[in-house]
Amino acid sequence: MADNATTTMAGGVDSPPAQLRAGRPADPTAVIQNDLDNGGDADQPESKATERGEQSGQASPGVENEQSQQDDEHRQAQTELKNLRLMLRQCDRVLLMDFDLLSMSDWPDNYSLAQARRRRDLWLLSALVAATLFLSGLTGFVPAWVAGGAFGASVIILLLGVPAIRRIYTSKPSYLDLVWRRQTMLSDARKHIAHLEGSEGLVWQCARMARYNASLRHGRFSDMIRLSEQRVLPRCLTKRENFRHYLIYMLEAERAYNKIQQAFLDGNQMAIDKGWQEVAATPEPRA
């Protein structure tokens, strides 16, 4: 039995030990090399990096388009505000228009003028008859007392034609007063239009505001715009209808000016809200 045990122990010692699995090498390079040799996924970091690059490349055109749109909007807002500011500066004399002066509400009408002409004709006829009777008395065709009475009547009639004496017995204006009033109103309106037109031509410059009021493009204003461009408009206005025509154009231009002013204020506020300080208008420094 001892021999069997000895043989068994000897056999157990002499039997080959179980095969062990190789451990991980200490050098990481070896792992990568082994993965390369084994067809592993060593290209995954590079592929992931490439994929991230492609994603960033796909996102960059969108950012560029957005930036381009912002730049276009910035330039458009700057150009629009510049044009609005220019129109406001060129057409600001529209606000100086005197409505009462151009409308001529106190214009003597034709009926009043006809009545004054009739009174004037009666006065002239009476003075002529009295003077004829007086001269007839000098030649002996009429009695002397008739000639004397005619002379006195002619003197009174002539005195009644004097403006200072006429105002004593009547408040109605004479024909000459009405004609003079008309001429004065036309002259004052013409001077006012000459002041509004200036050296550049206000009507011609206001034609640019037709974008904000289509009435300024009406064909009835074409001749007036052409005369304003030639700097001869004030002296071509000779009738009341011409001045009222000018007044209508100024009222339409004033409406367009108010719309432009509101558009400029809105655009300026939008530029301030978006931080476009170079686009927004800055107030002039006070002296």
Side-chain angles (χ1 to χ4, degrees), residues 20 51 56-57 64 68-69 81-82 91 132 135 154 200 213 216 223-225 241-242 247 253 270 276:
L20 298 177
E51 183 178 357
S56 62
E64 292 178 357
S68 177
Q69 292 178 358
L81 286 178
K82 182 179 179 181
C91 304
T132 302
L135 294 176
S154 63
E200 300 296 333
N213 190 355
L216 298 177
D223 293 338
M224 191 165 55
I225 295 174
E241 292 75 13
N242 302 140
L247 175 61
M270 182 190 68
W276 298 339

Side-chain angles (χ1 to χ4, degrees), residues 30-48:
V31 177
I32 297 175
Q33 186 64 32
N34 291 334
D35 292 339
L36 291 175
D37 295 339
N38 296 330
D41 298 334
D43 293 334
Q44 290 181 358
E46 183 178 357
S47 62
K48 292 181 179 180

Side-chain angles (χ1 to χ4, degrees), residues 81 262-276 280-281:
L81 286 178
Q262 186 62 41
F264 176 78
L265 294 176
D266 295 341
N268 192 67
Q269 185 63 41
M270 182 190 68
I272 294 176
D273 295 340
K274 291 189 176 183
W276 298 339

Side-chain angles (χ1 to χ4, degrees), residues 26-210:
D27 191 359
T29 306
V31 177
I32 297 175
Q33 186 64 32
N34 291 334
D35 292 339
L36 291 175
D37 295 339
N38 296 330
D41 298 334
D43 293 334
Q44 290 181 358
E46 183 178 357
S47 62
K48 292 181 179 180
T50 304
E51 183 178 357
R52 286 195 299 269
E54 292 178 354
Q55 293 177 355
S56 62
Q58 293 176 356
S60 58
V63 176
E64 292 178 357
N65 293 335
E66 184 177 358
Q67 183 65 30
S68 177
Q69 292 178 358
Q70 292 180 357
D71 293 341
D72 294 341
E73 184 179 1
H74 181 275
R75 287 192 298 269
Q76 184 178 0
Q78 187 173 12
T79 304
E80 183 67 17
L81 286 178
K82 182 179 179 181
N83 294 333
L84 293 176
R85 190 184 298 114
L86 179 61
M87 283 189 289
L88 290 176
R89 184 170 61 252
Q90 290 178 341
C91 304
D92 57 353
R93 290 193 302 276
V94 171
L95 303 178
L96 302 178
M97 179 192 64
D98 191 339
F99 179 83
D100 295 333
L101 188 60
L102 295 179
S103 63
M104 302 181 186
S105 57
D106 296 334
W107 180 264
D109 56 7
N110 295 331
Y111 178 75
S112 300
L113 205 64
Q115 284 186 330
R117 187 186 297 111
R118 186 179 298 109
R119 290 193 299 268
R120 182 203 62 180
D121 294 340
L122 290 175
W123 174 78
L124 289 175
L125 180 61
S126 301
L128 181 60
V129 170
T132 302
L133 291 176
F134 171 70
L135 294 176
S136 298
L138 294 177
T139 59
F141 285 102
V142 294
W145 64 271
V146 176
F151 175 76
S154 63
V155 172
I156 294 174
I157 292 173
L158 291 176
L159 289 176
L160 292 178
V162 178
I165 298 177
R166 186 182 66 250
R167 295 190 185 97
I168 296 175
Y169 68 90
T170 181
S171 60
K172 294 181 180 180
S174 64
Y175 178 77
L176 183 61
D177 292 339
L178 295 179
V179 173
W180 180 258
R181 185 187 300 177
R182 280 190 172 187
Q183 296 300 324
T184 302
M185 295 176 68
L186 291 176
S187 177
D188 293 341
R190 190 177 296 109
K191 291 179 181 178
H192 181 59
I193 291 178
H195 173 68
L196 294 177
E197 286 293 306
S199 59
E200 300 296 333
L202 180 60
V203 171
W204 173 59
Q205 290 180 333
C206 290
R208 298 181 55 190
M209 299 191 298

